[in-house]
Amino acid sequence: MSLEALLKPRSIAIIGASDNKARIGGVPLELLVRAGFDRVHAVNPKNETVQGRPAYKDIESVPEAVDLAILAVSAEATLGQLERCHALGIPAALVYASGYAETNEPEGQARQDELVAFAQRSGMKVAGPNCMGNANFTDAIFTTFGQSFQPGEPAGSTALLTQSGNMCATVFRMARRAGVTFSQVINTGNEATVDFSDYLDYLAGDDATTSALCYIEELRDGAKFLAAARKFRAAGKLLAVYKVGASEKGAEATRSHTAALAGDNAAYDAAFARAGVARASELSGLADLAYLHTLGGKIGGSNCAILSISGAAGAILSDALSLAGGDVPSFPQDVQDGLDAQIPGHSMVSNPVDLTGNIVNSNNFLSECIKLALQPDDIDVLLLYLPGAFLTSALDQVEKAAAQSGKAIIVIDTFAMADRERLAAAGIGYFDDFDRAARAICAYGQWKKAGTAIAADTSDTATWPEIAADRSALSETEAKEALARFGVPVVEDRLVTDAGQVREAAEAVGFPLVLKLVSPDVAHKTEYGLIKLGLTTAEAVEEGYADVMAKAQALPGVHIEGVTLEPMLTGGVEILAGVTRDPVFGWMLTVGLGGVWTELMKDACHALLPVDAQGAEAMLRSLKGFRLLDGYRGAPKADVPAAARAIAALGQAVLAGGDMLREVEVNPLLVLPEGRGAVAVDALVLLNGQTENGHD
Amino acid sequence: MSLEALLKPRSIAIIGASDNKARIGGVPLELLVRAGFDRVHAVNPKNETVQGRPAYKDIESVPEAVDLAILAVSAEATLGQLERCHALGIPAALVYASGYAETNEPEGQARQDELVAFAQRSGMKVAGPNCMGNANFTDAIFTTFGQSFQPGEPAGSTALLTQSGNMCATVFRMARRAGVTFSQVINTGNEATVDFSDYLDYLAGDDATTSALCYIEELRDGAKFLAAARKFRAAGKLLAVYKVGASEKGAEATRSHTAALAGDNAAYDAAFARAGVARASELSGLADLAYLHTLGGKIGGSNCAILSISGAAGAILSDALSLAGGDVPSFPQDVQDGLDAQIPGHSMVSNPVDLTGNIVNSNNFLSECIKLALQPDDIDVLLLYLPGAFLTSALDQVEKAAAQSGKAIIVIDTFAMADRERLAAAGIGYFDDFDRAARAICAYGQWKKAGTAIAADTSDTATWPEIAADRSALSETEAKEALARFGVPVVEDRLVTDAGQVREAAEAVGFPLVLKLVSPDVAHKTEYGLIKLGLTTAEAVEEGYADVMAKAQALPGVHIEGVTLEPMLTGGVEILAGVTRDPVFGWMLTVGLGGVWTELMKDACHALLPVDAQGAEAMLRSLKGFRLLDGYRGAPKADVPAAARAIAALGQAVLAGGDMLREVEVNPLLVLPEGRGAVAVDALVLLNGQTENGHD
């Protein structure tokens, strides 16, 4: 979908152009004219001239072909004007009017539905409604009524893309204060037809743009977003995102604001991780990410060397980096020895390094120390704390070191006295605050280190069994059989359909064993008392059979297939792995340790499918409770690679099942000691069919 | 300890005064003279004049009584000069020199030890060494060689107290940029004799000071700090703290920097909570806390009403407040109805409130909305998002609302265009960043809501039994008996010392039961196989007795008193409560849910003693796993009040035991269902005596 006519129009008509340069219909005309954009035409039925230019009584009277119509008219008048624009062959329009879906009223929703239908019918690119318009600094084209964007601002290579007009102006001003310059500023509005990811896709291909800052409230099409994000990564462009709605209150406020359900935050987190975007944890962080990107390719990650003239600053920075997810790796001994030789007295040389007052004395002292600190392979960035006059007097040496280094040097001056232009010219980064610097560097470094998306493994030729379209769930036995086809290891069980078979089957399985009802209609068997654990004698199994069957028969309309007997395994660690479908981003895998504590502590990890075994292992390792799998308190280490393979196989099974499936869970997946594998003890497959008697 | 002579001297001598106004010995003279402080005397054996003033060849030649001697001489020369000052009756001195304990070398430590001995012997108040001196803006007295502090800066009511010279200058500059003005700026240095809490105590009584900002690396005397903090609270003064060393790397860097072991972070957290100080999570937050304190008493807590002209801003602020620990309570229905009547269309009125574009139209619209939003009792602060021109045009109404309200109004203008002087004059707060505002308001509101310290309950007349001074631990039976004296409910057990008694005792206790070795010499019995759980028959108890005795007899030098039998309780939730002694802050209580997950998830709560039952219950409720005690998944609710009483009794027991004790733990404390109490199943009392055969 090319947005050229919308974002880089050669000619523009403003329908509802105003003589008043401060009004919505007046601002864009004034901006365009001041920016030297000549092919702009005012349409106003009441005036002969607007802002000293000829005004045309209607769009039909405009004397040349128009690329973009800006509609500065009421919501009521908008659709009629759009029809007329379309009749003239105008390919793109921008609708300022509010009064659409954002009102949360049926009338507004109906008006938006009509707009969508028009756009689909006509093929016109219609931006908005309820949007503020855009500012193309690259080509000096202003289609916005926002007064924050002025001709004459220097053009740059950062794009700004926001779902709120106010935050568009806010982030723009914050970033400008941080010295960031822009290629494009875009406010998406209601995104009735042209949506967030359409713009993102355009920016991925825009030569003038090397990074995009995004303010996101909600995305509607997760796949389109991920595809656009992939283009950013492939092009080496930074995609930085701030997503509002991390708290319940925030999400609630967003819902009412955008007239659409805010997506589940876990799914957004998983999607942003999958897309490899840079996350800003606060709005002002977006500007800092763009700023760091302008330092070029010198920041490889968030492992920092810290040189400081104050032990306190080294400690504060270490704290701040740790909190933000970065690291301050200890230097290898040879680097420590080298620093020790440079710095008199018993100073700290392991990282952070306390340079002490020596900084003012020696000619090459600082550049030598920087060179040493940047030597280790596991150091990505050098942070240098030199406030005020210390920095001024040592700047020559920092410049010298920067010129010689392929890694980034970032200076922190809490006195805020640094010569920023000179630093920028030398490609040296600069912050005046410890924590802000640490957050930005860590977010940027993590973005740089993020892997590219995993391709789905399509070599797997396994298929699901035939399943009747009206079913809402598989029985446990069916579920395990189906998952086993894809390589999920399962506990083998024996089906018993008659009381007379119980004793023989139990003895064949061995003790202790587990007895479970088999029925496609009951999903949560524990709650109904339809599972018996740890039966140790044939008599106990017979009693259990009678009890479970009696309970099941008492449930109305439940089809009973029998019970299964299976060995009760011990000595492993229970985990759970499940896949649910997020309305925006699709299949999302959740992995956690089993039991009540995982839920209490919210210790779970989420990822979008596909996930391969390596990715599944990384998910397990990210759990706080991972140590339980890793030989905790003298227990044997669990077979984590086998668990990871089982989880990856579960993911493959779900992708192969596709739309037929609603939710698939293995709980517990018992992870046995190293070398002994992992095995699905129970499995749940919910389907999209609907049976009348479903008890799930 | 009055620090008047040090911080508010009437006359000063500078020993080592320099003609060079940029050198350490030259700066304070230049500052004092420029500030109009006449009674300053330069001591310099080589010059006739210094900076155009007469110089005296030695301190004995200074022609008047001196309150404070500033020593700008080498570490080697310092002690001799101090002796001479003392001989002259000079009551206070300030030592700039480094080369003391901060070097981490024996020579420096020895030099500091000598300095301490001198100060104790002489009674002189000696600040430093290795300190930067102070700036008393109230009285325009500058004893610092730091160049950040200049005469002519406006004096204010905020004090700054730091353990790093560099951070002193940094926080001062940050706070000045935020508009904060200062009464005193103090850099403590090595605190060889005058320590952090001495200064704090002075500031608590300083009429010119209403708040103190503290940069802390480590405290040496926790009790003194807590006492000074109590004085701050009693005087309604703000005590705001930033503590470095939250991360392992940060703590490591501090250790090497301050030449002393950094205190345990959990103990600092507990102490700051007990002291009711305001915590800044980042250094720049200190300035914001001081700024908020200047708004006076209008901020009662961190429950915020949010009015915004942008739904996005409302959501962002809600997120930021939630993350920072604040709240955005929904308005009662009558307030929502009132707002609904004010705001046309279906806008959000529940909190946050979207004011919509209506803000520009109506005369009293905004002040009416503010009045409504501040009505509910559970609202402490009003946050108003009005950027740029919106704020300018509505400022009259905000001023009107502020004049009528006893609660604080804080404006956020992300365009950073606000008229700060006009806002300050009206007592209206101002920030230009969402997250920074949220963090500061929450930290300040939490400080305001923090309770005062609990006094120890001295009415308890229970006492510990006589214990031989050389013992290192009590037996479990002794421990439980001792704790029971203080009201800790314990499981009653029966001591068995002979195989022939086992059967009768077991039947008296009832089954299932627990059998444990009784020995003062073995602390961790589970690891040695000296505990048998869930014995259900007399035979099993007899076998268990034989096995445990055999194992215990195999341990070298262990005194065996027998075994205990006690009922095995079921159906409750296990928690642990223990008290350890922190070297800085003394007795610290730790409460957590039992089992491996608490340790894995680090789900524990710490508090300094004394803790009463109310405090203990609050600790339990703060645990992430508290829901397990609160009727999780249909289980009966546990008797939390009984558990809290038991924990408080444990604390009383420890305070009564005092120096005899090393560590006391109840693990598990079994919390039974509501109304059935809580009971200590096992208890451990470690003593400060030392026996040769201790196995703990």
Side-chain angles (χ1 to χ4, degrees):
Chain A
M1 183 180 202
S2 171
L3 300 180
E4 195 94 0
L6 180 60
L7 298 173
K8 203 178 173 173
R10 291 161 303 179
S11 57
I12 299 173
I14 300 173
I15 303 175
S18 168
D19 220 26
N20 184 335
K21 293 178 179 180
R23 299 204 61 164
I24 280 183
V27 174
L29 181 60
E30 194 277 329
L31 290 173
L32 282 163
V33 170
R34 183 146 51 91
F37 189 92
D38 279 334
R39 295 173 62 186
V40 54
H41 308 285
V43 175
N44 184 319
K46 296 179 196 148
N47 300 27
E48 296 260 310
T49 63
V50 169
Q51 296 184 26
R53 297 171 70 89
Y56 303 96
K57 70 178 194 311
D58 50 32
I59 186 69
E60 289 81 1
S61 310
V62 171
E64 71 162 339
V66 165
D67 274 354
L68 172 69
I70 297 176
L71 276 74
V73 297
S74 69
E76 291 77 7
T78 291
L79 189 55
Q81 291 291 342
L82 284 174
E83 298 274 12
R84 290 164 65 176
C85 290
H86 174 53
L88 291 167
I90 296 175
L94 204 154
V95 179
Y96 289 162
S98 54
Y100 291 82
E102 85 285 354
T103 58
N104 291 323
E105 290 174 59
E107 196 191 345
Q109 184 60 55
R111 195 176 281 138
Q112 186 152 325
D113 292 344
E114 282 174 359
L115 192 70
V116 172
F118 163 77
Q120 285 170 347
R121 196 168 64 231
S122 67
M124 229 174 135
K125 307 279 178 270
V126 182
N130 188 33
C131 78
M132 198 178 66
N134 313 313
N136 172 343
F137 286 96
T138 307
D139 305 298
I141 306 173
F142 296 81
T143 59
T144 177
F145 65 82
Q147 307 215 4
S148 296
F149 318 101
Q150 295 288 325
E153 292 262 9
S157 63
T158 300
L160 175 60
L161 179 58
T162 78
Q163 293 189 317
S164 151
N166 213 291
M167 290 314 112
C168 195
T170 290
V171 176
F172 178 77
R173 286 167 187 268
M174 283 178 169
R176 289 294 300 120
R177 293 202 290 271
V180 175
T181 50
F182 287 89
S183 53
Q184 292 270 357
V185 175
I186 298 168
N187 169 233
T188 65
N190 285 14
E191 302 177 19
T193 63
V194 183
D195 88 350
F196 196 86
S197 303
D198 293 323
Y199 290 108
L200 209 54
D201 184 77
Y202 176 86
L203 293 171
D206 178 26
D207 288 339
T209 297
T210 62
S211 65
L213 308 183
C214 301
Y215 168 84
I216 296 177
E217 293 181 351
E218 54 135 11
L219 296 170
R220 299 214 184 118
D221 186 335
K224 228 161 93 178
F225 174 79
L226 290 169
R230 259 194 295 275
K231 284 195 189 176
F232 264 79
R233 275 212 90 83
K237 297 184 179 187
L238 169 71
L239 180 56
V241 166
Y242 173 86
K243 163 79 173 68
V244 79
S247 73
E248 222 172 284
K249 264 286 173 184
E252 213 179 273
T254 314
R255 267 199 290 284
S256 304
H257 177 239
T258 62
L261 273 180
D264 174 23
N265 216 52
Y268 275 97
D269 288 341
F272 291 150
R274 170 54 49 94
V277 305
R279 292 291 292 277
S281 57
E282 49 196 272
L283 197 65
S284 55
L286 282 178
D288 294 336
L289 285 166
Y291 169 68
L292 287 177
H293 197 60
T294 62
L295 298 181
K298 286 182 143 190
I299 304 175
S302 56
N303 283 351
C304 297
I306 301 175
L307 302 187
S308 161
I309 58 146
S310 149
I316 293 170
L317 272 169
S318 295
D319 272 1
L321 286 165
S322 292
L323 285 175
D327 200 7
V328 185
S330 292
F331 291 138
Q333 194 57 48
D334 60 329
V335 171
Q336 295 198 30
D337 292 344
L339 288 164
D340 220 21
Q342 291 286 334
I343 307 169
H346 288 235
S347 187
M348 282 197 72
V349 292
S350 64
N351 195 19
V353 174
D354 188 350
L355 297 169
T356 74
N358 198 54
I359 186 88
V360 295
N361 301 329
S362 161
N363 273 336
N364 290 307
F365 170 70
L366 183 59
S367 57
E368 287 302 314
C369 289
I370 293 175
K371 200 190 289 182
L372 282 163
L374 279 173
Q375 232 170 55
D377 287 340
D378 66 351
I379 294 295
D380 300 312
V381 179
L382 183 112
L383 289 179
L384 180 64
Y385 177 72
L386 284 182
F390 289 106
L391 177 59
T392 308
S393 64
L395 198 47
D396 287 343
Q397 287 191 63
V398 185
E399 283 173 338
K400 192 167 120 187
Q404 292 168 354
S405 171
K407 297 177 182 176
I409 297 175
I410 295 172
V411 160
I412 296 175
D413 171 14
T414 50
F415 293 4
M417 290 164 62
D419 182 342
R420 297 186 57 169
E421 283 184 23
R422 194 170 151 195
L423 289 167
I428 299 165
Y430 165 75
F431 285 89
D432 64 12
D433 183 85
F434 296 116
D435 293 86
R436 190 166 169 176
R439 281 192 292 264
I441 290 163
C442 291
Y444 191 85
Q446 282 150 14
W447 169 74
K448 205 59 170 285
K449 283 258 160 79
T452 47
I454 302 153
D457 176 4
T458 51
S459 66
D460 198 319
T461 54
T463 54
W464 282 74
E466 285 293 315
I467 299 170
D470 64 346
R471 293 184 64 185
S472 66
L474 296 187
S475 73
E476 181 188 332
T477 304
E478 289 173 319
K480 286 199 281 194
E481 276 173 13
L483 294 178
R485 290 172 173 227
F486 293 89
V488 179
V490 299
V491 173
E492 284 184 38
D493 54 31
R494 282 175 77 110
L495 181 66
V496 179
T497 53
D498 182 278
Q501 305 167 333
V502 171
R503 176 171 293 264
E504 190 199 325
E507 278 160 0
V509 167
F511 303 101
L513 62 73
V514 179
L515 179 157
K516 291 182 201 167
L517 181 76
V518 181
S519 164
D521 304 322
V522 188
H524 298 107
K525 300 189 188 80
T526 304
E527 283 79 346
Y528 289 93
L530 302 173
I531 294 183
K532 303 278 176 188
L533 300 173
L535 304 178
T536 54
T537 63
E539 292 72 34
V541 181
E542 285 179 328
E543 277 170 38
Y545 177 84
D547 182 54
V548 163
M549 291 301 271
K551 279 181 182 151
Q553 279 153 5
L555 293 172
V558 163
H559 173 69
I560 299 168
E561 296 181 1
V563 304
T564 53
L565 304 183
E566 60 187 40
M568 182 155 164
L569 298 169
T570 53
V573 178
E574 290 188 355
I575 66 175
L576 75 79
V579 182
T580 51
R581 194 199 286 267
D582 179 76
V584 177
F585 294 105
W587 293 120
M588 183 169 72
L589 170 67
T590 297
V591 171
L593 279 113
V596 62
W597 284 92
T598 293
E599 191 182 322
L600 276 175
M601 301 297 171
K602 303 196 197 310
D603 185 27
C605 180
H606 309 277
L608 299 187
L609 292 184
V611 169
D612 59 14
Q614 199 185 344
E617 184 161 339
M619 291 176 76
L620 288 170
R621 288 183 181 276
S622 77
L623 297 171
K624 278 188 240 163
F626 175 74
R627 283 194 290 163
L628 274 187
L629 290 164
D630 202 34
Y632 190 59
R633 285 192 171 174
K637 286 196 179 207
D639 199 335
V640 173
R645 287 193 299 272
I647 293 166
L650 169 69
Q652 286 296 113
V654 172
L655 290 175
D659 287 343
M660 166 187 81
L661 302 172
R662 188 146 58 89
E663 186 179 336
V664 179
E665 186 181 89
V666 172
N667 184 15
L669 176 68
L670 188 70
V671 191
L672 297 165
E674 258 180 339
R676 289 178 49 203
V679 60
V681 177
D682 198 351
L684 178 70
V685 172
L686 301 181
L687 303 162
N688 276 320
Q690 297 211 324
T691 53
E692 281 177 16
N693 301 320
H695 279 256
D696 49 85
Chain B
M1 182 183 204
S2 171
L3 299 180
E4 195 92 0
L6 180 60
L7 297 174
K8 205 179 172 172
R10 292 161 301 178
S11 56
I12 298 173
I14 301 174
I15 302 176
S18 168
D19 220 25
N20 184 337
K21 293 178 179 179
R23 298 203 62 163
I24 281 183
V27 174
L29 181 60
E30 193 277 330
L31 290 172
L32 282 163
V33 169
R34 184 144 52 91
F37 190 92
D38 279 335
R39 294 174 62 185
V40 54
H41 308 285
V43 176
N44 185 317
K46 295 182 197 149
N47 299 28
E48 297 259 310
T49 63
V50 169
Q51 296 183 27
R53 298 171 69 89
Y56 303 96
K57 69 176 193 314
D58 49 34
I59 186 69
E60 289 81 2
S61 310
V62 171
E64 72 161 338
V66 166
D67 275 353
L68 173 68
I70 297 177
L71 276 75
V73 297
S74 70
E76 290 76 8
T78 291
L79 189 57
Q81 292 290 341
L82 284 174
E83 297 275 12
R84 290 165 65 176
C85 291
H86 173 54
L88 293 167
I90 296 175
L94 203 152
V95 180
Y96 288 161
S98 54
Y100 292 82
E102 85 286 352
T103 58
N104 290 323
E105 289 174 62
E107 194 190 348
Q109 184 60 55
R111 194 176 281 139
Q112 185 152 327
D113 292 345
E114 282 174 359
L115 193 71
V116 172
F118 163 78
Q120 284 170 347
R121 194 168 66 230
S122 66
M124 224 173 139
K125 308 281 178 266
V126 182
N130 188 33
C131 78
M132 197 179 66
N134 314 313
N136 172 343
F137 285 98
T138 307
D139 305 297
I141 306 174
F142 296 81
T143 59
T144 177
F145 64 82
Q147 307 216 6
S148 297
F149 318 102
Q150 296 289 325
E153 292 264 5
S157 63
T158 300
L160 174 60
L161 180 57
T162 77
Q163 294 190 317
S164 150
N166 214 291
M167 291 313 114
C168 195
T170 290
V171 176
F172 178 78
R173 286 167 185 269
M174 284 177 169
R176 290 293 300 121
R177 293 203 289 271
V180 174
T181 51
F182 286 89
S183 54
Q184 292 271 357
V185 176
I186 299 168
N187 169 232
T188 65
N190 285 14
E191 302 178 19
T193 63
V194 184
D195 88 349
F196 196 87
S197 304
D198 293 323
Y199 292 108
L200 209 55
D201 184 78
Y202 176 87
L203 294 171
D206 177 27
D207 289 340
T209 297
T210 63
S211 65
L213 308 184
C214 301
Y215 167 84
I216 296 178
E217 293 182 350
E218 54 134 12
L219 296 169
R220 299 216 185 117
D221 186 335
K224 228 161 92 177
F225 174 79
L226 290 170
R230 259 194 295 276
K231 285 195 188 174
F232 264 79
R233 276 212 89 85
K237 296 184 179 187
L238 169 71
L239 180 55
V241 165
Y242 173 86
K243 162 79 172 70
V244 80
S247 73
E248 222 170 284
K249 263 287 173 184
E252 211 178 277
T254 314
R255 267 199 290 284
S256 304
H257 177 238
T258 63
L261 273 182
D264 175 23
N265 216 51
Y268 276 98
D269 288 341
F272 292 149
R274 169 54 48 92
V277 306
R279 291 291 293 275
S281 58
E282 50 196 272
L283 197 65
S284 56
L286 282 177
D288 294 336
L289 285 165
Y291 169 69
L292 287 176
H293 196 61
T294 63
L295 298 181
K298 286 182 143 192
I299 303 175
S302 57
N303 283 351
C304 298
I306 301 174
L307 302 188
S308 161
I309 58 146
S310 149
I316 293 170
L317 272 169
S318 295
D319 272 0
L321 287 165
S322 292
L323 284 175
D327 200 6
V328 186
S330 292
F331 292 138
Q333 194 57 48
D334 60 328
V335 169
Q336 295 198 31
D337 291 345
L339 288 165
D340 219 20
Q342 291 285 336
I343 307 170
H346 288 235
S347 187
M348 283 200 72
V349 292
S350 64
N351 195 21
V353 175
D354 188 350
L355 297 168
T356 74
N358 198 55
I359 186 88
V360 296
N361 301 327
S362 159
N363 273 336
N364 289 308
F365 169 71
L366 183 58
S367 56
E368 286 302 315
C369 288
I370 293 176
K371 201 190 286 179
L372 281 162
L374 280 173
Q375 234 170 52
D377 288 339
D378 65 350
I379 294 296
D380 301 311
V381 179
L382 184 111
L383 288 180
L384 180 63
Y385 177 71
L386 284 182
F390 290 105
L391 177 60
T392 308
S393 64
L395 198 47
D396 287 344
Q397 288 192 64
V398 185
E399 283 173 338
K400 193 167 121 188
Q404 291 168 355
S405 171
K407 297 178 183 175
I409 297 174
I410 295 172
V411 161
I412 295 175
D413 171 14
T414 50
F415 293 3
M417 290 163 62
D419 182 342
R420 297 186 58 169
E421 284 184 20
R422 195 171 149 194
L423 289 166
I428 300 165
Y430 164 75
F431 285 89
D432 65 11
D433 183 84
F434 296 115
D435 293 86
R436 189 165 170 176
R439 282 192 291 263
I441 290 163
C442 291
Y444 190 85
Q446 283 152 13
W447 169 74
K448 206 60 171 284
K449 283 259 160 79
T452 47
I454 303 153
D457 177 4
T458 50
S459 66
D460 197 320
T461 53
T463 54
W464 282 74
E466 285 293 315
I467 300 171
D470 65 344
R471 294 185 62 187
S472 65
L474 296 187
S475 74
E476 180 189 333
T477 305
E478 289 173 319
K480 287 199 280 194
E481 275 173 14
L483 294 178
R485 290 172 173 226
F486 294 88
V488 178
V490 298
V491 173
E492 285 184 38
D493 52 32
R494 282 176 78 112
L495 181 67
V496 180
T497 54
D498 182 280
Q501 304 168 331
V502 171
R503 176 170 294 263
E504 190 198 325
E507 277 160 0
V509 168
F511 302 100
L513 62 72
V514 178
L515 179 156
K516 290 183 201 166
L517 180 76
V518 181
S519 163
D521 304 322
V522 188
H524 298 107
K525 301 188 188 79
T526 305
E527 284 78 347
Y528 289 93
L530 302 173
I531 295 184
K532 303 278 175 186
L533 301 172
L535 304 180
T536 54
T537 63
E539 291 71 35
V541 181
E542 285 179 330
E543 276 171 37
Y545 178 83
D547 182 53
V548 162
M549 292 301 272
K551 279 182 181 149
Q553 279 152 3
L555 293 173
V558 163
H559 174 71
I560 299 168
E561 297 182 0
V563 304
T564 54
L565 305 183
E566 60 188 39
M568 182 151 164
L569 299 168
T570 52
V573 178
E574 291 188 354
I575 65 175
L576 75 81
V579 181
T580 50
R581 193 199 286 267
D582 178 76
V584 177
F585 294 105
W587 293 119
M588 182 168 74
L589 170 67
T590 297
V591 170
L593 280 113
V596 62
W597 283 93
T598 293
E599 192 184 320
L600 275 177
M601 301 297 172
K602 303 196 196 307
D603 185 27
C605 180
H606 308 277
L608 299 187
L609 292 184
V611 169
D612 60 12
Q614 200 185 343
E617 184 161 339
M619 290 175 75
L620 287 171
R621 287 183 182 277
S622 77
L623 297 173
K624 277 188 239 159
F626 175 73
R627 284 193 289 162
L628 274 187
L629 290 165
D630 201 36
Y632 190 60
R633 284 190 172 174
K637 284 194 179 210
D639 199 335
V640 174
R645 286 191 299 272
I647 293 167
L650 169 68
Q652 286 297 113
V654 172
L655 290 175
D659 288 342
M660 166 186 81
L661 301 172
R662 189 148 57 90
E663 185 179 338
V664 179
E665 184 181 270
V666 172
N667 184 15
L669 176 68
L670 188 69
V671 192
L672 297 166
E674 259 180 337
R676 289 177 49 203
V679 60
V681 177
D682 198 349
L684 178 70
V685 172
L686 300 182
L687 303 163
N688 277 321
Q690 297 211 326
T691 53
E692 281 176 19
N693 300 320
H695 279 257
D696 48 86

